[in-house]
Amino acid sequence: MERLLVVEDDPQLAHLMTTVLGREGYTLLLTNNGLDAVQMAPQADLMLLDLGLPGLGGLEVIRELREAGWNLPILVISAQGAEEIRVRALELGADDYLTKPMSVREVVARVRALLRRSRPEQEIQVGDLRILPKRRQVYQGERLLDLSRTELELLLTLALHPGEVWSRERLLQRVWGAERGNAVDERVVDSYVALLRRKLGDDPKTSRYIATVFGRGYRLVSSPVD
Ligand code: CA
């Protein structure tokens, strides 16, 4: 299930939103400040973002994330309703904007709509591999593959961003939730790619599914292999 990051410094509102969204089946991450929001964003599929935050403000959060290349959907929920600020947030890369006080039903509806747009419902096909993101299943031909949670996350991350090259650092943040500067070794990514390739019967030199982009990272092979 999708992971939502709620960034809200009003404890009551934060509690209300996490309760309501939790009831919808989403996994919730929560923080009350902008610095943590930037750090935690790679672990989330969508961010609900207040603008008036202690320390790093919401607009700065959007700017930093977009500059770092993160494309998770951001739904701003702010008491600041002035057109100038709404336009600024959208220009910086927010995907949607709600003004407080808002209805929680509308929050749920907007979250659903944003996730629908950002996550392909349909399957992703790479050679004889069929990846079903919603069901979190991978088939090779007719065979359902037995992948570990980490292997599956790794493959889904690449598959859901076709053509995009993922550096080891970004994969660490996304799949392992490691914060920048954390002691987790980037080579763990290489080990898991090797594991995954072995399970897929893939050869690193002529990989049919996961391509190594020299000096940059990994991406899913997008065109059919001849
Ligand atoms: Ca606030």
Side-chain angles (χ1 to χ4, degrees):
M1 199 59 181
E2 280 102 343
R3 287 172 284 182
L4 311 181
L5 173 57
V6 174
V7 187
E8 176 56 67
D9 63 333
D10 174 341
Q12 279 185 326
L13 187 53
H15 178 73
L16 175 66
M17 287 208 286
T18 50
T19 305
V20 170
L21 291 164
R23 235 180 263 148
E24 296 294 314
Y26 298 112
T27 301
L28 272 302
L29 304 164
L30 175 66
T31 178
N32 61 3
N33 70 83
L35 280 177
D36 284 352
V38 172
Q39 291 289 323
M40 293 163 77
Q43 301 167 46
D45 298 300
L46 180 144
M47 179 186 282
L48 299 101
L49 179 66
D50 184 20
L51 290 188
L53 293 167
L56 194 67
L59 290 176
E60 278 305 310
V61 171
I62 302 170
R63 190 207 311 275
E64 286 208 11
L65 289 175
R66 294 311 187 222
E67 277 178 6
W70 292 104
N71 57 6
L72 84 163
I74 299 175
L75 167 57
V76 172
I77 301 178
S78 173
Q80 306 181 51
E83 183 184 300
E84 197 184 309
I85 294 181
R86 281 186 284 137
V87 169
R88 186 84 189 107
L90 295 171
E91 277 176 352
L92 283 172
D95 295 279
D96 204 352
Y97 200 108
L98 276 174
T99 306
K100 293 174 187 171
M102 73 299 175
S103 93
V104 284
R105 283 182 58 203
E106 187 168 11
V107 172
V108 171
R110 302 264 183 137
V111 164
R112 277 208 200 112
L114 283 173
L115 287 172
R116 206 164 43 232
R117 293 212 303 259
S118 71
R119 286 226 151 180
E121 298 269 350
Q122 76 279 26
E123 58 184 55
I124 299 153
Q125 184 105 31
V126 191
D128 62 348
L129 214 58
R130 281 194 306 135
I131 302 165
L132 304 149
K134 288 277 168 194
R135 286 160 62 182
R136 301 178 64 80
Q137 291 177 337
V138 181
Y139 286 86
Q140 194 166 35
E142 295 301 309
R143 190 168 63 97
L144 176 65
L145 295 179
D146 181 23
L147 301 179
S148 73
R149 201 200 71 85
T150 305
E151 291 161 349
L152 185 65
E153 277 303 323
L154 185 58
L155 188 57
L156 282 178
T157 299
L158 297 174
L160 288 168
H161 304 86
E164 207 175 305
V165 179
W166 283 71
S167 69
R168 289 165 180 81
E169 188 196 2
R170 283 186 75 192
L171 283 170
L172 265 187
Q173 290 181 314
R174 170 73 216 191
V175 178
W176 284 265
E179 291 171 4
R180 216 163 289 179
N182 207 338
V184 181
D185 196 322
E186 289 187 4
R187 276 173 300 185
V188 86
V189 177
D190 299 330
S191 307
Y192 269 90
V193 169
L195 268 173
L196 193 50
R197 279 174 169 159
R198 202 175 309 151
K199 278 199 184 170
L200 302 176
D202 205 5
D203 182 338
K205 292 195 190 70
T206 57
S207 54
R208 289 175 294 163
Y209 311 115
I210 300 170
T212 307
V213 183
F214 185 72
R216 291 178 60 201
Y218 297 102
R219 69 172 171 78
L220 199 76
V221 172
S222 44
S223 56
V225 179
D226 47 22

